[in-house]
């Protein structure tokens, strides 16, 4: 199992949208995928169902430990499951004792591994402190959605600096890549940001694909669906996530990891 | 005109740091992969000495000061690891992934059980070379022993606090002699190494190990109960009384040759005193006592 956390200094850059659509794309590609909503706002649950708000979830596990399986909600796609945010208010209002949280997170990931998930996407709150820091430090990879707008991209050095500091003090988390989001081909400033970022960052740190600003995302969230499910014939933006999923697989070594743990027999055997 | 206001040099420096090797190769705490193996625990918290001396060279060597100063209290971190290992072992046993350690079925006179599975897996002195012991003169025959309540032990041995195992055994053995008169006394650890007893008695060590091993593997935890022991006949003239005792370093077996006057009370006292002697020692060096 591979754990991938999202991270960004700024809010509203599309982390939750990326998580939902990327997880759906990974699941459709056959990976047993779980999305864990670690954002206290509960964006994953709110995006997909009106009934998840009162469900137990990630923060209940962080607070009490125990068994992870009952916190996992299946979806209509068998390869895709959700762990909602749970009672974050209770956890955070009690002074948020974070000292046990790294251990609990490791316990959670171990349990998810035993439940045979191939990939776990952890959607985090904005900023790299508190619970989000613990989640990023506890994950093998971090995916950085980066809004293709001038103000948003100016926080990129701070984010990279924070991740470099984590690495300097022994955290093994690696950067899966920076994914440009909300790229607007109509806006010169947005295109300039994309060009500048591509010029500055090595290809190993930047996804080839970028996610355009598309009104269909708004429609998808209104329906509580991933983008590819809002129409019988998925819109082009939805297909981008298939490419991003394929790129992510290669970046984090998902096929190789799966081969190590699960070998298939030959078709003719 | 640049709109991102980002310094390319700064980005290049940061990306180099992110893509470079880890500056500190320290894993996350309590990662299961980093737990020390069980045999290394003893060198970690009891003694930093490189290797225990072999049996043939073993003498009651003075304990290095650093070891003395360390004391026998394990570090909290080690305790934490042990707790985790214990929990993992219990879970594995509950799930049927690990067999539960079994002990001997033997006639007994009290009901206080001390499960063998709670004792550490390693012995006091993991020796580098196996001890070569000639075969016992006759096959060991074990019999359960029900003992009379006749002889009462005087008291517990006077063990110098904070002393090494060598010093404590030097106090313990004469006390055993005073409680239960016998021809010879041997102490054997989990690995079959002699903790006490001259090389001339190495053949008896095999008998002790066989007797204790057979008892412990035959399916009950009775053997480690406080007043139960094994009696092994070695020919017509000799008889070994074998008392396995779980300690925090593993099973340590006390064997008395031709002991007279063993009773429920003094067997209990012997076990308790031996446990006290081993468990509270500052270090656990190899020793060879002169019985």
């Amino acid at each position: 199992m591979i754990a991938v956390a999202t991270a960004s200094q700024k809010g509203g850059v599309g982390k939750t949208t990326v998580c939902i659509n990327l997880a759906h794309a990974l699941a459709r590609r056959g990976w047993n995928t779980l999305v864990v909503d670690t954002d206290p706002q509960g964006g994953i649950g709110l995006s997909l169902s009106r009934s998840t708000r009162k469900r137990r979830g990630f923060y209940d596990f962080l607070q009490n430990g125990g068994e992870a399986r009952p916190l996992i909600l299946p979806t209509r796609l068998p390869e895709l499951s959700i762990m909602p945010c749970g009672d974050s208010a209770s956890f955070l209002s009690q002074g948020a004792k974070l000292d046990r949280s790294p251990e609990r997170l490791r316990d959670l990931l171990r349990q998810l591994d035993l439940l045979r998930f191939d990939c776990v996407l952890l959607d985090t709150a904005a900023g790299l402190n508190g619970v989000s820091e613990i989640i990023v430090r506890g994950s093998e990879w971090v995916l950085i959605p980066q809004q293709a707008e001038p103000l948003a991209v100016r926080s990129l050095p701070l984010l990279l600096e924070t991740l470099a500091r984590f690495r300097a003090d022994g955290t093994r988390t690696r950067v899966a890549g920076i994914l440009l989001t909300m790229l607007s081909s109509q806006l010169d400033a947005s295109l300039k940001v994309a060009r500048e970022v591509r010029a500055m960052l090595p290809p190993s740190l930047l996804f080839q694909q970028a996610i355009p600003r598309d009104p269909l995302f708004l429609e998808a969230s209104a329906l509580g669906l991933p983008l590819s499910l809002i129409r019988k014939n998925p819109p082009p933006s939805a297909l981008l996530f298939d490419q991003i999923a394929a790129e992510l697989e290669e970046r984090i070594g998902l096929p190789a990891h799966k081969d190590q743990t699960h070998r298939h027999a030959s078709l003719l055997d | 005109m640049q709109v991102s206001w980002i310094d390319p040099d700064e980005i290049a420096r940061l990306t180099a740091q992110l893509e470079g090797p880890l500056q500190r190769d320290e894993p996350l705490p309590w990662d299961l992969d980093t737990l020390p193996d069980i045999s290394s625990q003893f060198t970690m918290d009891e003694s930093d000495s490189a290797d225990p001396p072999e049996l043939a060279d073993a003498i009651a060597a003075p304990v290095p000061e650093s070891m003395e100063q360390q004391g026998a209290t394990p570090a909290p971190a080690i305790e934490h690891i042990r707790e985790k290992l214990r929990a993992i072992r219990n879970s594995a046993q509950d799930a049927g992934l690990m067999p539960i350690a079994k002990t001997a079925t033997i006639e007994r006179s009290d009901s206080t059980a001390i499960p063998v599975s709670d004792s550490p897996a390693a012995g006091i002195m993991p020796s580098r070379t196996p001890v070569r012991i000639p075969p016992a003169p006759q096959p060991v025959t074990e019999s359960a022993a029900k003992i009379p309540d006749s002889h009462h032990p005087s008291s517990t041995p006077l063990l110098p606090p904070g002393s090494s195992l060598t010093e404590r055994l030097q106090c313990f053995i004469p006390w055993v002699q005073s409680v239960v008169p016998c021809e010879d006394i041997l102490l054997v650890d989990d690995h079959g190494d002699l903790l006490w007893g001259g090389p001339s008695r190495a053949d008896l060590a095999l008998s002790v190990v066989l007797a204790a091993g057979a008892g412990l593997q035959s399916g009950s935890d009775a053997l480690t109960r406080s007043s139960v022991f094994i009696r092994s006949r070695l020919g017509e003239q000799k008889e070994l009384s074998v008392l396995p005792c779980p300690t925090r370093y593993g099973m340590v077996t006390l064997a008395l040759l031709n002991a007279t006057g063993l009773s429920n009370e003094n067997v209990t006292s012997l076990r308790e005193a031996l446990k006290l002697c081993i468990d509270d020692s500052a270090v656990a060096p190899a020793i060879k006592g002169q019985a």
Side-chain angles (χ1 to χ4, degrees):
Chain A
M1 189 197 77
I2 294 179
V4 184
T6 57
S8 79
Q9 290 288 359
K10 183 180 173 301
V13 300
K15 286 191 299 295
T16 301
T17 303
V18 166
C19 270
I20 291 170
N21 289 281
L22 187 55
H24 186 254
L26 285 167
R28 285 201 312 155
R29 290 174 61 81
W31 303 110
N32 198 11
T33 306
L34 175 72
V35 184
V36 181
D37 191 357
T38 76
D39 184 348
Q41 294 181 42
I44 296 283
L46 294 175
S47 300
L48 297 176
S49 165
R50 64 180 67 186
S51 67
T52 57
R53 200 165 60 86
K54 292 178 180 173
R55 295 266 192 170
R56 292 171 67 235
F58 174 76
Y59 280 95
D60 298 283
F61 186 91
L62 218 52
Q63 187 158 10
N64 306 314
E67 199 181 344
R69 190 200 296 262
L71 309 179
I72 296 170
L73 306 177
T75 70
R76 276 181 289 175
L77 184 62
E79 289 81 13
L80 179 61
S81 305
I82 309 284
M83 181 181 284
C85 162
D87 189 2
S88 60
S90 172
F91 178 80
L92 297 170
S93 66
Q94 290 176 8
K97 292 180 181 173
L98 297 180
D99 50 340
R100 296 201 65 185
S101 299
E103 192 180 340
R104 288 265 160 82
L105 178 64
R106 278 192 291 280
D107 183 26
L108 174 66
L109 294 177
R110 271 196 293 271
Q111 290 192 41
L112 298 179
D113 190 26
L114 291 172
L115 291 172
R116 309 300 293 264
F117 284 105
D118 298 316
C119 186
V120 174
L121 292 179
L122 297 115
D123 185 29
T124 61
L128 269 179
N129 46 37
V131 176
S132 293
E133 176 179 346
I134 289 167
I135 288 162
V136 169
R137 284 181 183 269
S139 303
E140 292 151 283
W141 295 91
V142 58
L143 172 68
I144 305 170
Q146 178 61 59
Q147 193 178 351
E149 291 179 10
L151 184 59
V153 85
R154 287 169 194 164
S155 66
L156 183 60
L158 176 61
L159 178 71
L160 297 181
E161 197 175 312
T162 307
L163 293 173
R165 179 166 53 79
F166 289 177
R167 193 165 175 79
D169 60 24
T171 301
R172 292 170 181 269
T173 311
R174 289 176 283 175
V175 178
I178 296 168
L179 177 61
L180 287 174
T181 62
M182 302 184 188
L183 179 64
S184 177
S185 56
Q186 315 296 320
L187 297 174
D188 192 40
S190 182
L191 292 171
K192 270 188 171 180
V193 164
R195 278 197 294 270
E196 289 174 16
V197 169
R198 289 205 183 281
M200 278 186 276
L201 289 170
S204 58
L205 279 187
L206 191 63
F207 277 83
Q208 290 174 3
Q209 292 295 337
I211 299 170
R213 186 178 281 278
D214 191 333
L216 286 176
F217 284 112
L218 192 64
E219 190 179 328
S221 64
L223 294 170
L225 291 170
L227 201 57
S228 58
L229 293 181
I230 63 169
R231 305 264 165 82
K232 188 176 179 185
N233 299 312
S237 297
L239 299 179
L240 281 177
F241 282 101
D242 291 338
Q243 295 178 31
I244 293 166
E247 196 178 344
L248 179 70
E249 287 169 18
E250 292 305 316
R251 285 173 174 268
I252 65 178
L254 200 49
H257 186 80
K258 181 84 173 179
D259 284 346
Q260 284 175 359
T261 55
H262 188 83
R263 293 184 183 279
H264 293 280
S266 155
L267 190 63
L268 292 177
D269 293 340
Chain B
M1 186 192 76
Q2 197 197 38
V3 295
S4 63
W5 298 358
I6 296 175
D7 178 5
D9 293 337
E10 185 187 10
I11 292 290
R13 179 179 56 80
L14 290 170
T15 54
Q17 284 180 31
L18 286 170
E19 294 194 309
L22 274 178
Q23 293 179 16
R24 260 176 43 181
D25 197 21
E26 285 182 7
L28 294 166
W30 314 124
D31 194 332
L32 277 181
D33 294 341
T34 67
L35 291 176
D37 66 24
I38 201 148
S39 59
S40 69
Q41 285 187 36
F42 299 98
T43 48
M44 281 170 59
D45 63 352
E46 295 309 320
S47 143
D48 285 333
S49 59
D51 288 303
E54 292 183 29
L55 183 65
D57 306 325
I59 53 171
V63 180
E65 274 186 19
S66 58
M67 297 178 191
E68 293 276 21
Q69 288 160 1
Q70 274 190 344
T73 309
I78 299 297
E79 274 303 305
H80 195 136
I81 291 172
R82 283 177 175 161
E83 275 176 29
K84 279 190 166 289
L85 286 171
R86 203 173 295 127
I88 291 167
R89 185 194 58 201
N90 291 340
S91 302
Q93 286 176 344
D94 291 345
L97 299 174
M98 257 180 77
I100 298 171
K102 293 177 176 175
T103 53
T105 304
I106 201 158
E107 186 182 334
R108 58 192 182 270
S109 56
D110 89 10
S111 58
T112 312
I114 305 171
V116 174
S117 56
D118 282 346
S119 65
I124 287 180
M125 299 186 304
S127 61
R128 285 172 298 176
T129 54
V131 181
R132 290 187 178 80
I133 299 173
Q138 289 182 21
V140 177
T141 56
E142 289 120 29
S143 63
K146 179 91 179 178
I147 41 190
D149 295 337
S150 56
H151 196 95
H152 292 276
S154 56
S155 62
T156 52
L158 186 63
L159 301 169
S163 53
S164 68
L165 179 61
T166 306
E167 294 162 335
R168 296 171 79 82
L169 286 181
Q170 283 166 350
C171 298
F172 173 74
I173 296 296
W175 175 82
V176 173
Q177 282 279 16
S178 71
V179 173
V180 185
C182 59
E183 286 182 22
D184 209 346
I185 298 175
L186 287 89
L187 272 178
V188 183
D189 76 1
D190 241 359
H191 295 259
D193 292 341
L194 273 172
L195 300 182
W196 191 273
S200 63
R201 293 301 190 187
D203 58 334
L204 286 181
L206 179 62
S207 303
V208 172
V209 170
L210 285 173
L216 289 169
Q217 288 168 13
S218 62
S220 161
D221 61 354
L223 193 57
T224 53
R225 294 182 184 186
S226 59
S227 65
V228 178
F229 68 101
I230 296 172
R231 186 170 285 163
S232 291
R233 290 218 162 271
L234 306 175
E236 293 183 0
Q237 303 295 322
K238 292 182 180 176
E239 185 182 72
L240 264 184
S241 303
V242 178
L243 289 79
C245 176
T247 73
R248 69 186 177 110
Y249 300 110
M251 192 63 70
V252 173
T253 305
L254 174 68
L256 310 174
L257 183 64
N258 291 340
T260 55
L262 270 176
S263 66
N264 284 344
E265 283 77 12
N266 57 27
V267 167
T268 304
S269 298
L270 288 173
R271 244 197 202 102
E272 287 172 356
L274 176 60
K275 187 169 169 52
L276 192 70
C277 174
I278 303 283
D279 285 357
D280 292 351
S281 62
V283 289
I287 68 162
K288 181 186 76 172
Q290 300 299 319

